[in-house]
Amino acid sequence: MKAVRRTLIGSGALLMAYAVSGALADPDVKGGALIFLVAVLVFHDGLLLPLTIGAGVLIGRIVPCRIRTPVRVAAVISLAVTVVALPLVLGRGRVPDNPSVLPLHYGRGLLAVYTIIWVTTAGITVAQHRRHRVRHTDND
């Protein structure tokens, strides 16, 4: 397993070095791209990652052990969907004189996706609980 992990880390580092060297050598790449990439890195490592770890710890303390994993998975999926959908929900880029730009009610869609995620998670946890209970009743 360590060899696979080291190979993946090495491959990722080589790919990133290739991408950075290509970007630095390309005259079309402006300083704005570098600022954007640094901002994404700071946002991810400074805000998104600590919030995700904190939510995982909180779920670990509040949620019962047997349903912890599905709840954590649903929380991470919800966070990913939120990051992607938030600009649409906020309506950045929407202009009043062109209704075809961002024409849908994205907040309602986001709530529908959350509902699907958490109802599915609830269904999975109920199914796991029933299966666990049936297994223990058969053994008695």
Side-chain angles (χ1 to χ4, degrees):
M1 190 54 124
K2 283 186 179 184
V4 172
R5 187 177 306 137
R6 288 182 180 153
T7 302
L8 289 173
I9 290 170
S11 300
L14 286 174
L15 285 171
M16 288 305 298
Y18 174 74
V20 169
S21 66
L24 292 175
D26 189 350
D28 292 335
V29 175
K30 307 285 188 250
L34 181 61
I35 292 170
F36 172 76
L37 292 175
V38 169
V40 167
L41 181 66
V42 168
F43 172 73
H44 178 271
D45 290 355
L47 182 68
L48 203 57
L49 192 59
L51 284 175
T52 304
I53 292 170
V57 169
L58 188 63
I59 289 169
R61 292 182 183 192
I62 294 173
V63 177
C65 186
R66 68 178 184 277
I67 62 170
R68 221 175 263 162
T69 299
V71 170
R72 282 182 174 153
V73 169
V76 168
I77 292 171
S78 297
L79 177 64
V81 168
T82 302
V83 168
V84 171
L86 195 60
L88 299 171
V89 172
L90 294 176
R92 303 287 186 221
R94 182 176 286 133
V95 289
D97 60 341
N98 188 355
S100 65
V101 176
L102 300 174
L104 302 176
H105 192 281
Y106 296 101
R108 193 176 330 143
L110 182 59
L111 290 176
V113 171
Y114 287 154
T115 303
I116 292 168
I117 291 168
W118 289 99
V119 166
T120 303
T121 302
I124 289 169
T125 57
V126 166
Q128 284 179 344
H129 179 69
R130 285 184 181 165
R131 195 171 35 235
H132 179 74
R133 202 173 60 197
V134 166
R135 228 183 278 142
H136 284 296
T137 342
D138 291 343
N139 290 337
D140 290 339

